[in-house]
Amino acid sequence: MRMTVPMEVGLAVRDLSRMRRFYEEALGFTFGSDIHVPAAKAAAAALCPEGYRVLRLQTSYGERIKLLARDGAAPPAGPQPDFILDQPGA
């Protein structure tokens, strides 16, 4: 199978450092980039109110994964949150 465009999946995570270690050490992904998205853009995209970070990791075959985590504390428990990165399992 010849890939013409790398596949890239995004996962919302709560512990970015821990998940990065898992993907790099256990699964062999390599670091691609670490980007901070400011609050205004994060809220406009309905991801979270205070901004978030995106880590991009890649396999040796070119598949990529984005790990997304909000800045600040974890979202409060309760009714369905307004923002995507506050929703468990997003």
Side-chain angles (χ1 to χ4, degrees), residues 1-2 4-5 10 13 43 48 51-52 58 63 66 86-87:
M1 181 171 163
R2 186 173 186 280
T4 57
V5 177
V13 301
C48 63
Y52 64 98
Q58 183 169 322
E63 295 92 354
K66 291 187 290 193
D86 293 344
Q87 298 175 16

Side-chain angles (χ1 to χ4, degrees), residues 45-59:
L47 287 169
C48 63
E50 70 280 314
Y52 64 98
R53 280 179 58 203
V54 180
L55 284 181
R56 281 191 169 87
L57 304 169
Q58 183 169 322
T59 71

Side-chain angles (χ1 to χ4, degrees), residues 35-82:
I35 299 168
H36 181 263
V37 177
K41 288 187 178 187
L47 287 169
C48 63
E50 70 280 314
Y52 64 98
R53 280 179 58 203
V54 180
L55 284 181
R56 281 191 169 87
L57 304 169
Q58 183 169 322
T59 71
S60 59
Y61 296 106
E63 295 92 354
R64 297 179 190 155
I65 189 167
K66 291 187 290 193
L67 302 177
L68 299 91
R70 59 184 273 156
D71 292 339
Q80 184 69 20
D82 294 330

